[in-house]
Amino acid sequence: MLLDGKTAVVYGGAGAVGGAVAQAFAEQGAHVIVSGRTLSSLERVVKPLIERGLSAQVAQVDALVGSEVETHLDGVVVEHGGIDISFNAISVPYSLGEPLHDIPVDEFMMGIADGARTNYLTGVGAARRMAERHTGVVLGITASTCRRPLANQGSFSVAGAAIEALCRQIATDYGPQGVRAVCLRSAGSPDAPGVDRALTTLAEVEGISRDEFEARIAERTLLKHLPRLREIASLAVLAASDLASSMTGVIANGTCGEATD
């Protein structure tokens, strides 16, 4: 298995992307710590994994609060000897679906600040501890609008660009100590409830149906479909595994060719 013996922390583990990645990590042999703010939601992710004989546990952590992140990471090091993989997929309140001039500046800045803050807290917090063992991988996730412009993206695309830059900086600062950092880029998985809502909102702005809007985006991809959650989870496994040991400071493009390099 690709992640056998690894300890992985997934922030936002109760969400669609976080849950899919947590499952994929566990299926590939990792011990997965599924973290988030609501225990009941986290337990719905972890329970079926444990029932399958996979290794997973729940951790109640607000990934926007530095003291909670630090305390939890210290506990992971004590209990498991270190942290091998950190993946942040928490949801923050981005503005989306309106032209920039209709978004109050404080609302616009909140999404950018929160997105950068949580990825800094979890990514740098993990990288600092990984550096002591000269091994580890920090993963983030963004969307193809960071690369390919799309109207009415509000703070969402700007925040994503900041997260990608932070990922490169983590790779630069901690690479000499053997720590890798890779940012996954998705075109949006239509089987994720949050993406489904976003597609619906943007479709209403365009005055077309949600399915028509998805089909229009899918047509722009080279593969003529948007990536499903399982595809993004598999990409996360690959990026976190030793098969990608030479990959750092880069974007792992999982957009099905919606955004090309």
Side-chain angles (χ1 to χ4, degrees):
M1 292 186 283
L2 292 179
L3 303 180
D4 193 33
K6 305 287 189 182
T7 297
V9 179
V10 176
Y11 298 94
V17 174
V21 170
Q23 177 180 329
F25 282 175
E27 289 173 343
Q28 288 296 326
H31 174 72
V32 185
I33 302 166
V34 184
S35 73
R37 293 183 297 181
T38 307
L39 280 175
S40 58
S41 299
L42 297 168
E43 287 166 352
R44 283 196 291 271
V45 174
V46 168
K47 183 179 178 181
L49 299 180
I50 294 175
E51 289 175 345
R52 293 172 56 193
L54 302 175
S55 184
Q57 69 183 86
V58 166
Q60 189 171 28
V61 181
D62 186 337
L64 283 164
V65 178
S67 58
E68 292 194 23
V69 172
E70 286 292 301
T71 298
H72 175 249
L73 287 174
D74 283 342
V76 172
V77 171
V78 170
E79 183 176 356
H80 301 284
I83 174 174
D84 299 295
I85 304 162
S86 172
F87 176 59
N88 190 317
I90 82 161
S91 176
V92 301
Y94 300 114
S95 54
L96 187 68
E98 299 174 300
L100 290 173
H101 61 262
D102 284 342
I103 305 170
V105 64
D106 289 343
E107 178 184 330
F108 177 78
M109 292 304 301
M110 182 181 296
I112 300 169
D114 283 353
R117 178 183 180 83
T118 183
N119 279 274
Y120 176 92
L121 290 173
T122 63
V124 174
R128 181 164 59 84
R129 291 164 173 84
M130 293 170 177
E132 296 175 359
R133 301 168 64 224
H134 295 274
T135 184
V137 185
V138 174
L139 300 177
I141 185 166
T142 59
S144 56
T145 51
C146 298
R147 173 75 176 178
R148 190 181 190 283
L150 183 66
N152 301 314
Q153 291 295 294
S155 64
F156 181 64
S157 59
V158 180
I163 291 167
E164 291 186 357
L166 174 60
C167 185
R168 287 191 291 270
Q169 196 62 50
I170 291 172
T172 302
D173 287 358
Y174 297 95
Q177 286 78 46
V179 179
R180 298 192 292 114
V182 178
C183 197
L184 313 179
R185 184 188 285 158
S186 172
S189 299
D191 51 340
V195 174
D196 178 64
R197 288 192 295 271
L199 292 175
T200 299
T201 298
L202 293 171
E204 290 173 353
V205 172
E206 295 290 326
I208 60 177
S209 74
R210 179 248 182 259
D211 289 344
E212 287 175 319
F213 190 82
E214 179 185 337
R216 191 169 74 182
I217 296 177
E219 185 59 31
R220 293 202 300 256
T221 72
L222 300 183
L223 296 177
K224 306 305 179 186
H225 74 271
L226 295 177
R228 266 36 188 183
L229 286 169
R230 189 66 180 178
E231 292 177 289
I232 297 302
S234 295
L235 181 60
V237 168
L238 175 62
S241 76
D242 291 341
L243 290 179
S245 61
S246 65
M247 179 187 292
T248 193
V250 298
I251 307 303
N253 191 332
T255 67
C256 292
E258 201 263 340
T260 55
D261 296 323

